PDB file of all heavy atoms in Angstrom:
ATOM      1  N   LYS T  53     111.646  98.484 108.565  1.00  0.00           N
ATOM      2  CA  LYS T  53     112.560  98.165 107.477  1.00  0.00           C
ATOM      3  C   LYS T  53     112.380  99.065 106.264  1.00  0.00           C
ATOM      4  O   LYS T  53     113.244  99.112 105.388  1.00  0.00           O
ATOM      5  CB  LYS T  53     112.382  96.699 107.056  1.00  0.00           C
ATOM      6  CG  LYS T  53     112.764  95.700 108.138  1.00  0.00           C
ATOM      7  CD  LYS T  53     112.610  94.274 107.636  1.00  0.00           C
ATOM      8  CE  LYS T  53     113.023  93.269 108.700  1.00  0.00           C
ATOM      9  NZ  LYS T  53     112.876  91.868 108.219  1.00  0.00           N
ATOM     10  N   THR T  54     111.242  99.733 106.180  1.00  0.00           N
ATOM     11  CA  THR T  54     110.938 100.541 104.990  1.00  0.00           C
ATOM     12  C   THR T  54     110.306 101.866 105.411  1.00  0.00           C
ATOM     13  O   THR T  54     109.870 102.037 106.555  1.00  0.00           O
ATOM     14  CB  THR T  54     109.975  99.807 104.044  1.00  0.00           C
ATOM     15  OG1 THR T  54     108.734  99.553 104.733  1.00  0.00           O
ATOM     16  CG2 THR T  54     110.574  98.482 103.562  1.00  0.00           C
ATOM     17  N   VAL T  55     110.267 102.788 104.489  1.00  0.00           N
ATOM     18  CA  VAL T  55     109.483 104.012 104.620  1.00  0.00           C
ATOM     19  C   VAL T  55     108.366 103.949 103.569  1.00  0.00           C
ATOM     20  O   VAL T  55     108.468 103.159 102.630  1.00  0.00           O
ATOM     21  CB  VAL T  55     110.382 105.263 104.397  1.00  0.00           C
ATOM     22  CG1 VAL T  55     111.288 105.470 105.579  1.00  0.00           C
ATOM     23  CG2 VAL T  55     111.182 105.176 103.105  1.00  0.00           C
ATOM     24  N   PRO T  56     107.283 104.697 103.737  1.00  0.00           N
ATOM     25  CA  PRO T  56     107.118 105.834 104.625  1.00  0.00           C
ATOM     26  C   PRO T  56     106.853 105.453 106.080  1.00  0.00           C
ATOM     27  O   PRO T  56     106.309 104.385 106.372  1.00  0.00           O
ATOM     28  CB  PRO T  56     105.890 106.548 104.048  1.00  0.00           C
ATOM     29  CG  PRO T  56     105.065 105.427 103.472  1.00  0.00           C
ATOM     30  CD  PRO T  56     106.077 104.468 102.892  1.00  0.00           C
ATOM     31  N   ILE T  57     107.247 106.369 106.953  1.00  0.00           N
ATOM     32  CA  ILE T  57     106.883 106.328 108.363  1.00  0.00           C
ATOM     33  C   ILE T  57     106.356 107.715 108.710  1.00  0.00           C
ATOM     34  O   ILE T  57     107.052 108.709 108.525  1.00  0.00           O
ATOM     35  CB  ILE T  57     108.083 105.985 109.264  1.00  0.00           C
ATOM     36  CG1 ILE T  57     108.708 104.643 108.863  1.00  0.00           C
ATOM     37  CG2 ILE T  57     107.656 105.965 110.729  1.00  0.00           C
ATOM     38  CD1 ILE T  57     110.040 104.362 109.551  1.00  0.00           C
ATOM     39  N   LEU T  58     105.140 107.765 109.198  1.00  0.00           N
ATOM     40  CA  LEU T  58     104.537 109.028 109.609  1.00  0.00           C
ATOM     41  C   LEU T  58     104.702 109.199 111.110  1.00  0.00           C
ATOM     42  O   LEU T  58     104.392 108.284 111.883  1.00  0.00           O
ATOM     43  CB  LEU T  58     103.050 109.057 109.256  1.00  0.00           C
ATOM     44  CG  LEU T  58     102.258 110.280 109.744  1.00  0.00           C
ATOM     45  CD1 LEU T  58     102.733 111.549 109.052  1.00  0.00           C
ATOM     46  CD2 LEU T  58     100.761 110.077 109.530  1.00  0.00           C
ATOM     47  N   ASP T  59     105.191 110.366 111.514  1.00  0.00           N
ATOM     48  CA  ASP T  59     105.259 110.742 112.931  1.00  0.00           C
ATOM     49  C   ASP T  59     104.345 111.940 113.115  1.00  0.00           C
ATOM     50  O   ASP T  59     104.691 113.060 112.751  1.00  0.00           O
ATOM     51  CB  ASP T  59     106.704 111.082 113.308  1.00  0.00           C
ATOM     52  CG  ASP T  59     106.877 111.279 114.811  1.00  0.00           C
ATOM     53  OD1 ASP T  59     105.882 111.589 115.485  1.00  0.00           O
ATOM     54  OD2 ASP T  59     108.014 111.138 115.300  1.00  0.00           O
ATOM     55  N   ASP T  60     103.169 111.681 113.639  1.00  0.00           N
ATOM     56  CA  ASP T  60     102.162 112.720 113.821  1.00  0.00           C
ATOM     57  C   ASP T  60     102.142 113.125 115.293  1.00  0.00           C
ATOM     58  O   ASP T  60     101.400 112.566 116.096  1.00  0.00           O
ATOM     59  CB  ASP T  60     100.788 112.212 113.378  1.00  0.00           C
ATOM     60  CG  ASP T  60      99.738 113.312 113.327  1.00  0.00           C
ATOM     61  OD1 ASP T  60     100.107 114.491 113.438  1.00  0.00           O
ATOM     62  OD2 ASP T  60      98.547 112.987 113.171  1.00  0.00           O
ATOM     63  N   ASP T  61     103.021 114.071 115.638  1.00  0.00           N
ATOM     64  CA  ASP T  61     103.134 114.558 117.008  1.00  0.00           C
ATOM     65  C   ASP T  61     103.383 113.412 117.988  1.00  0.00           C
ATOM     66  O   ASP T  61     102.755 113.321 119.054  1.00  0.00           O
ATOM     67  CB  ASP T  61     101.876 115.329 117.400  1.00  0.00           C
ATOM     68  CG  ASP T  61     102.083 116.183 118.653  1.00  0.00           C
ATOM     69  OD1 ASP T  61     103.244 116.465 119.004  1.00  0.00           O
ATOM     70  OD2 ASP T  61     101.081 116.550 119.286  1.00  0.00           O
ATOM     71  N   GLY T  62     104.303 112.530 117.608  1.00  0.00           N
ATOM     72  CA  GLY T  62     104.675 111.425 118.471  1.00  0.00           C
ATOM     73  C   GLY T  62     103.919 110.136 118.216  1.00  0.00           C
ATOM     74  O   GLY T  62     104.298 109.084 118.738  1.00  0.00           O
ATOM     75  N   HIS T  63     102.873 110.191 117.427  1.00  0.00           N
ATOM     76  CA  HIS T  63     102.150 108.962 117.053  1.00  0.00           C
ATOM     77  C   HIS T  63     102.783 108.442 115.763  1.00  0.00           C
ATOM     78  O   HIS T  63     102.641 109.055 114.708  1.00  0.00           O
ATOM     79  CB  HIS T  63     100.662 109.248 116.848  1.00  0.00           C
ATOM     80  CG  HIS T  63      99.836 108.019 116.697  1.00  0.00           C
ATOM     81  ND1 HIS T  63      99.145 107.455 117.753  1.00  0.00           N
ATOM     82  CD2 HIS T  63      99.612 107.221 115.625  1.00  0.00           C
ATOM     83  CE1 HIS T  63      98.524 106.362 117.325  1.00  0.00           C
ATOM     84  NE2 HIS T  63      98.788 106.211 116.035  1.00  0.00           N
ATOM     85  N   VAL T  64     103.483 107.315 115.858  1.00  0.00           N
ATOM     86  CA  VAL T  64     104.279 106.797 114.737  1.00  0.00           C
ATOM     87  C   VAL T  64     103.497 105.718 113.995  1.00  0.00           C
ATOM     88  O   VAL T  64     103.041 104.739 114.600  1.00  0.00           O
ATOM     89  CB  VAL T  64     105.627 106.244 115.237  1.00  0.00           C
ATOM     90  CG1 VAL T  64     106.441 105.669 114.074  1.00  0.00           C
ATOM     91  CG2 VAL T  64     106.413 107.344 115.945  1.00  0.00           C
ATOM     92  N   VAL T  65     103.353 105.922 112.674  1.00  0.00           N
ATOM     93  CA  VAL T  65     102.596 104.981 111.847  1.00  0.00           C
ATOM     94  C   VAL T  65     103.448 104.605 110.639  1.00  0.00           C
ATOM     95  O   VAL T  65     103.765 105.454 109.807  1.00  0.00           O
ATOM     96  CB  VAL T  65     101.270 105.600 111.355  1.00  0.00           C
ATOM     97  CG1 VAL T  65     100.430 104.556 110.622  1.00  0.00           C
ATOM     98  CG2 VAL T  65     100.495 106.224 112.499  1.00  0.00           C
ATOM     99  N   PRO T  66     103.840 103.330 110.507  1.00  0.00           N
ATOM    100  CA  PRO T  66     104.553 102.882 109.310  1.00  0.00           C
ATOM    101  C   PRO T  66     103.582 102.317 108.279  1.00  0.00           C
ATOM    102  O   PRO T  66     102.440 101.996 108.625  1.00  0.00           O
ATOM    103  CB  PRO T  66     105.452 101.769 109.859  1.00  0.00           C
ATOM    104  CG  PRO T  66     104.622 101.166 110.961  1.00  0.00           C
ATOM    105  CD  PRO T  66     103.791 102.289 111.543  1.00  0.00           C
ATOM    106  N   ASP T  67     104.034 102.243 107.018  1.00  0.00           N
ATOM    107  CA  ASP T  67     103.292 101.593 105.939  1.00  0.00           C
ATOM    108  C   ASP T  67     102.220 102.522 105.367  1.00  0.00           C
ATOM    109  O   ASP T  67     101.432 103.140 106.107  1.00  0.00           O
ATOM    110  CB  ASP T  67     102.637 100.283 106.403  1.00  0.00           C
ATOM    111  CG  ASP T  67     101.899  99.591 105.289  1.00  0.00           C
ATOM    112  OD1 ASP T  67     102.561  98.979 104.447  1.00  0.00           O
ATOM    113  OD2 ASP T  67     100.651  99.681 105.246  1.00  0.00           O
ATOM    114  N   SER T  68     102.209 102.619 104.035  1.00  0.00           N
ATOM    115  CA  SER T  68     101.324 103.574 103.369  1.00  0.00           C
ATOM    116  C   SER T  68      99.846 103.283 103.604  1.00  0.00           C
ATOM    117  O   SER T  68      99.041 104.213 103.772  1.00  0.00           O
ATOM    118  CB  SER T  68     101.629 103.613 101.869  1.00  0.00           C
ATOM    119  OG  SER T  68     101.514 102.324 101.294  1.00  0.00           O
ATOM    120  N   TRP T  69      99.439 102.006 103.611  1.00  0.00           N
ATOM    121  CA  TRP T  69      98.032 101.693 103.859  1.00  0.00           C
ATOM    122  C   TRP T  69      97.639 102.051 105.279  1.00  0.00           C
ATOM    123  O   TRP T  69      96.562 102.613 105.517  1.00  0.00           O
ATOM    124  CB  TRP T  69      97.750 100.213 103.589  1.00  0.00           C
ATOM    125  CG  TRP T  69      97.569  99.895 102.151  1.00  0.00           C
ATOM    126  CD1 TRP T  69      98.475  99.329 101.311  1.00  0.00           C
ATOM    127  CD2 TRP T  69      96.395 100.149 101.356  1.00  0.00           C
ATOM    128  NE1 TRP T  69      97.947  99.213 100.043  1.00  0.00           N
ATOM    129  CE2 TRP T  69      96.684  99.696 100.043  1.00  0.00           C
ATOM    130  CE3 TRP T  69      95.150 100.704 101.625  1.00  0.00           C
ATOM    131  CZ2 TRP T  69      95.758  99.788  99.009  1.00  0.00           C
ATOM    132  CZ3 TRP T  69      94.222 100.801 100.593  1.00  0.00           C
ATOM    133  CH2 TRP T  69      94.533 100.342  99.305  1.00  0.00           C
ATOM    134  N   ALA T  70      98.512 101.722 106.238  1.00  0.00           N
ATOM    135  CA  ALA T  70      98.216 102.056 107.634  1.00  0.00           C
ATOM    136  C   ALA T  70      98.152 103.566 107.821  1.00  0.00           C
ATOM    137  O   ALA T  70      97.326 104.076 108.604  1.00  0.00           O
ATOM    138  CB  ALA T  70      99.278 101.452 108.553  1.00  0.00           C
ATOM    139  N   ILE T  71      99.005 104.298 107.105  1.00  0.00           N
ATOM    140  CA  ILE T  71      98.977 105.763 107.188  1.00  0.00           C
ATOM    141  C   ILE T  71      97.653 106.306 106.662  1.00  0.00           C
ATOM    142  O   ILE T  71      97.031 107.179 107.277  1.00  0.00           O
ATOM    143  CB  ILE T  71     100.168 106.361 106.426  1.00  0.00           C
ATOM    144  CG1 ILE T  71     101.474 106.072 107.179  1.00  0.00           C
ATOM    145  CG2 ILE T  71      99.993 107.864 106.219  1.00  0.00           C
ATOM    146  CD1 ILE T  71     102.730 106.385 106.395  1.00  0.00           C
ATOM    147  N   ALA T  72      97.193 105.799 105.526  1.00  0.00           N
ATOM    148  CA  ALA T  72      95.914 106.254 104.966  1.00  0.00           C
ATOM    149  C   ALA T  72      94.768 105.979 105.937  1.00  0.00           C
ATOM    150  O   ALA T  72      93.907 106.837 106.169  1.00  0.00           O
ATOM    151  CB  ALA T  72      95.662 105.588 103.618  1.00  0.00           C
ATOM    152  N   ASP T  73      94.739 104.777 106.505  1.00  0.00           N
ATOM    153  CA  ASP T  73      93.682 104.444 107.460  1.00  0.00           C
ATOM    154  C   ASP T  73      93.762 105.324 108.703  1.00  0.00           C
ATOM    155  O   ASP T  73      92.732 105.787 109.221  1.00  0.00           O
ATOM    156  CB  ASP T  73      93.782 102.972 107.856  1.00  0.00           C
ATOM    157  CG  ASP T  73      93.282 102.034 106.772  1.00  0.00           C
ATOM    158  OD1 ASP T  73      92.446 102.451 105.953  1.00  0.00           O
ATOM    159  OD2 ASP T  73      93.738 100.871 106.739  1.00  0.00           O
ATOM    160  N   TYR T  74      94.983 105.551 109.168  1.00  0.00           N
ATOM    161  CA  TYR T  74      95.155 106.410 110.343  1.00  0.00           C
ATOM    162  C   TYR T  74      94.642 107.817 110.074  1.00  0.00           C
ATOM    163  O   TYR T  74      93.945 108.406 110.911  1.00  0.00           O
ATOM    164  CB  TYR T  74      96.637 106.457 110.745  1.00  0.00           C
ATOM    165  CG  TYR T  74      96.944 107.574 111.714  1.00  0.00           C
ATOM    166  CD1 TYR T  74      96.605 107.458 113.062  1.00  0.00           C
ATOM    167  CD2 TYR T  74      97.545 108.755 111.270  1.00  0.00           C
ATOM    168  CE1 TYR T  74      96.860 108.503 113.946  1.00  0.00           C
ATOM    169  CE2 TYR T  74      97.798 109.798 112.146  1.00  0.00           C
ATOM    170  CZ  TYR T  74      97.456 109.670 113.485  1.00  0.00           C
ATOM    171  OH  TYR T  74      97.703 110.699 114.358  1.00  0.00           O
ATOM    172  N   LEU T  75      94.962 108.363 108.910  1.00  0.00           N
ATOM    173  CA  LEU T  75      94.543 109.731 108.597  1.00  0.00           C
ATOM    174  C   LEU T  75      93.024 109.852 108.546  1.00  0.00           C
ATOM    175  O   LEU T  75      92.457 110.838 109.039  1.00  0.00           O
ATOM    176  CB  LEU T  75      95.163 110.180 107.273  1.00  0.00           C
ATOM    177  CG  LEU T  75      96.686 110.342 107.274  1.00  0.00           C
ATOM    178  CD1 LEU T  75      97.181 110.687 105.868  1.00  0.00           C
ATOM    179  CD2 LEU T  75      97.132 111.406 108.275  1.00  0.00           C
ATOM    180  N   ASP T  76      92.358 108.865 107.962  1.00  0.00           N
ATOM    181  CA  ASP T  76      90.894 108.919 107.933  1.00  0.00           C
ATOM    182  C   ASP T  76      90.310 108.794 109.338  1.00  0.00           C
ATOM    183  O   ASP T  76      89.297 109.431 109.659  1.00  0.00           O
ATOM    184  CB  ASP T  76      90.346 107.813 107.032  1.00  0.00           C
ATOM    185  CG  ASP T  76      90.123 108.286 105.600  1.00  0.00           C
ATOM    186  OD1 ASP T  76      90.334 109.483 105.315  1.00  0.00           O
ATOM    187  OD2 ASP T  76      89.733 107.453 104.759  1.00  0.00           O
ATOM    188  N   HIS T  77      90.936 107.984 110.174  1.00  0.00           N
ATOM    189  CA  HIS T  77      90.433 107.794 111.541  1.00  0.00           C
ATOM    190  C   HIS T  77      90.728 109.011 112.411  1.00  0.00           C
ATOM    191  O   HIS T  77      89.861 109.457 113.184  1.00  0.00           O
ATOM    192  CB  HIS T  77      91.067 106.546 112.150  1.00  0.00           C
ATOM    193  CG  HIS T  77      90.685 106.320 113.585  1.00  0.00           C
ATOM    194  ND1 HIS T  77      89.444 105.835 113.956  1.00  0.00           N
ATOM    195  CD2 HIS T  77      91.375 106.543 114.748  1.00  0.00           C
ATOM    196  CE1 HIS T  77      89.380 105.764 115.276  1.00  0.00           C
ATOM    197  NE2 HIS T  77      90.534 106.179 115.781  1.00  0.00           N
ATOM    198  N   ALA T  78      91.935 109.564 112.292  1.00  0.00           N
ATOM    199  CA  ALA T  78      92.349 110.666 113.168  1.00  0.00           C
ATOM    200  C   ALA T  78      91.779 112.010 112.743  1.00  0.00           C
ATOM    201  O   ALA T  78      91.631 112.910 113.576  1.00  0.00           O
ATOM    202  CB  ALA T  78      93.872 110.735 113.215  1.00  0.00           C
TER     203      ALA T  78
END
Side-chain angles (χ1 to χ4, degrees):
K53 295 182 179 180
T54 61
V55 287
I57 303 170
L58 175 66
D59 188 337
D60 189 11
D61 196 19
H63 190 97
V64 178
V65 186
D67 181 77
S68 57
W69 280 102
I71 290 169
D73 285 334
Y74 166 77
L75 293 176
D76 267 357
H77 176 76

